[in-house]
Amino acid sequence: MNTTISRRDFLKLAGAFAVAPALPTWMPRMAFAPQGVESPGDILVVVFQRGGMDGINAVIPHGDADYYHNRSALAIPEPEDGSDQTGIDLDGFFGLHPSLRPLKDLWDEKTLAIVHAVGSPDPTHSHFDAMDYMERGTPGEKSISTGWIGRHLQTAAWQNESPFRAIGMGGVMQAALRGPIPVTTLKSISDFHLQGDVTQLTEIRARLESLYNLGSSLDGEAADTFNAVNILDKIDVNNYTPSGGAEYPETEFGMAMKQVAQIAKAEIGLEVACVDIGGWDTHNQQGQLEGELPTLLNEFSSGLASLYHDLGDRAKRVTIVTMSEFGRRVKENASDGTDHGHGNCMFVLGGGVNGGKVYGQWPGLAPEKLYEGIDLDITTDYRDVLGEVVEKRLKNPSLADVFPAYTDWKNLGIVQGS
């Protein structure tokens, strides 16, 4: 083993792993905050449903006759007791799509709340712009480069030296995490260890450690990075058995949620985790009880419920929030799908949630009630949901910094204050 590898050689080595000029992708890029105190608030898990989820068919307004008038092919039948081919009634007006069955027990336990007719007030139907605005926390405004979670971490009254204070699951860091606080991104814990190739990992680690022990300005950061790798070494990915009867879906999303549970249980300073689930852009053959959307809803709900059950008592200090860039048009299209819309629904899950209730004012689906005559109107700004979570569950009162320029706050009472 060559332990005198030059910096030029290292750059070649890093290039072999298709990474940024400094470190391979399996290694986090980070710097550590000064010694501080642990967060007094919950761990926050943000699930972004990319593509624009059809919230009207996820949480069906079966009490609104216009729902059925607009969706002759896709509408979910009104709830019937004991049937798995109808909606699951929640409160006599709203119901869950039957593929969201894994969430019903959490609803009954009052740890799951739903907000309907919610979203970003910006009218764009562009996926890119809508996601960007939501993750910045500044609808219609791109002058602020940081994301709302990044600003939360920046303005929190405490600091946390863990390299796993904030993690983004996936190959690319979520825009909501952008900011001055370092974030660790990883596709999987296994990938972090070069997919378990111990020999290769040991060799590369030794080369890098020798390289970053030459008295350069990067030595400190590199040492922190190796520390992060060593921390993750303690998590036994291959032999992990979820608790509470949790059965994660065998999908990328399911695996990401399982690894969030592992990192949370390892108690290595996790405060925020972002997980994506894509595929919600259902223009064609969306599916009513079977098909593309029902399959996604089942994966989504199984992942959420599994994470909650797997965490056990730790779930009392965890809040899970879901969002999507926009909803779908109220009227189905000629391809048995739905096009880009406006209002949507969000799920909020956790031990500190005032669950068992659908929050928000339902605007109705009659033609005169629709946004621009075609879409579900938005009666709750998504920042009201996130702001309440940030203030009450994450214990950060700096909402003016986290969501700049937003002042019309409404306390929905979705989560408990302590």
Side-chain angles (χ1 to χ4, degrees), residues 47-386:
V47 176
F48 206 114
Q49 300 165 279
R50 300 191 185 274
M53 181 189 69
D54 183 8
I56 298 174
N57 259 31
V59 180
I60 64 171
H62 64 81
D64 188 329
D66 287 300
Y67 168 64
Y68 293 97
H69 295 159
N70 281 285
R71 297 198 169 192
S72 58
L74 295 179
I76 306 304
E78 292 185 61
E80 291 182 9
D81 288 342
S83 174
D84 60 1
Q85 300 294 304
T86 69
I88 304 168
D89 187 47
L90 295 176
D91 59 6
F93 187 88
F94 292 105
L96 294 175
H97 189 288
S99 295
L100 293 177
R101 171 70 65 181
L103 297 180
K104 182 58 165 54
D105 288 344
L106 300 174
W107 170 272
D108 292 338
E109 293 172 8
K110 300 189 184 305
T111 55
L112 172 69
I114 296 167
V115 188
H116 221 320
V118 64
S120 167
D122 189 82
T124 183
H125 283 161
S126 159
H127 292 292
F128 178 82
D129 285 339
M131 286 189 287
D132 193 24
Y133 288 143
M134 288 193 83
E135 294 190 274
R136 288 175 192 263
T138 56
E141 174 59 59
K142 294 187 179 182
S143 63
I144 298 176
S145 61
T146 52
W148 69 273
I149 297 175
R151 294 192 294 274
H152 153 63
L153 295 171
Q154 180 184 9
T155 58
W158 61 92
Q159 291 298 327
N160 172 352
E161 65 179 359
S162 170
F164 300 102
R165 182 184 185 190
I167 62 171
M169 300 301 297
V172 179
M173 185 179 77
Q174 288 80 358
L177 292 165
R178 288 193 302 238
I181 303 300
V183 172
T184 296
T185 61
L186 65 161
K187 292 189 69 174
S188 73
I189 298 173
S190 179
D191 282 349
F192 212 79
H193 300 304
L194 289 184
Q195 300 179 331
D197 188 334
V198 177
T199 301
Q200 188 180 21
L201 177 60
T202 300
E203 179 180 349
I204 291 178
R205 185 184 296 179
R207 291 188 181 193
L208 293 176
E209 286 176 341
S210 66
L211 175 65
Y212 283 102
N213 192 25
L214 302 174
S216 81
S217 60
L218 294 176
D219 287 357
E221 183 178 350
D224 289 337
T225 298
F226 296 129
N227 180 47
V229 175
N230 291 334
I231 290 172
L232 276 191
D233 264 344
K234 300 175 182 175
I235 299 178
D236 187 353
V237 179
N238 296 327
N239 297 310
Y240 178 70
T241 301
S243 304
E247 296 183 4
Y248 292 93
E250 293 291 332
T251 63
E252 190 170 331
F253 173 67
M255 294 303 98
M257 296 295 271
K258 182 163 72 173
Q259 288 171 98
V260 169
Q262 291 175 270
I263 293 172
K265 287 181 176 182
E267 298 183 347
I268 53 178
L270 177 67
E271 291 185 31
V272 179
C274 288
V275 182
D276 294 339
I277 176 171
W280 301 91
D281 198 16
T282 52
H283 288 285
N284 303 297
Q285 302 298 315
Q286 173 174 304
Q288 181 202 35
L289 299 175
E290 296 181 353
E292 187 174 358
L293 181 66
T295 299
L296 275 170
L297 290 174
N298 182 258
E299 177 186 357
F300 168 74
S301 60
S302 296
L304 291 185
S306 293
L307 175 60
Y308 184 84
H309 291 307
D310 193 7
L311 289 172
D313 284 344
R314 289 183 178 83
K316 294 176 182 177
R317 291 288 307 278
V318 174
T319 299
I320 305 169
V321 179
T322 75
M323 64 178 73
S324 192
E325 64 264 36
F326 44 61
R328 313 298 296 186
R329 193 152 292 176
V330 171
K331 192 172 183 58
E332 63 196 20
N333 63 30
S335 300
D336 288 338
T338 52
D339 298 322
H340 299 178
H342 194 51
N344 209 333
C345 65
M346 298 173 67
F347 298 85
V348 186
L349 172 63
V353 174
N354 294 318
K357 180 179 178 180
V358 178
Y359 290 83
Q361 178 186 352
W362 182 247
L365 299 179
E368 68 276 12
K369 301 293 186 181
L370 299 181
Y371 177 76
E372 296 185 341
I374 51 177
D375 291 334
L376 174 65
D377 203 358
I378 289 174
T379 58
T380 298
D381 191 303
Y382 80 105
R383 290 169 293 185
D384 285 324
V385 180
L386 300 181

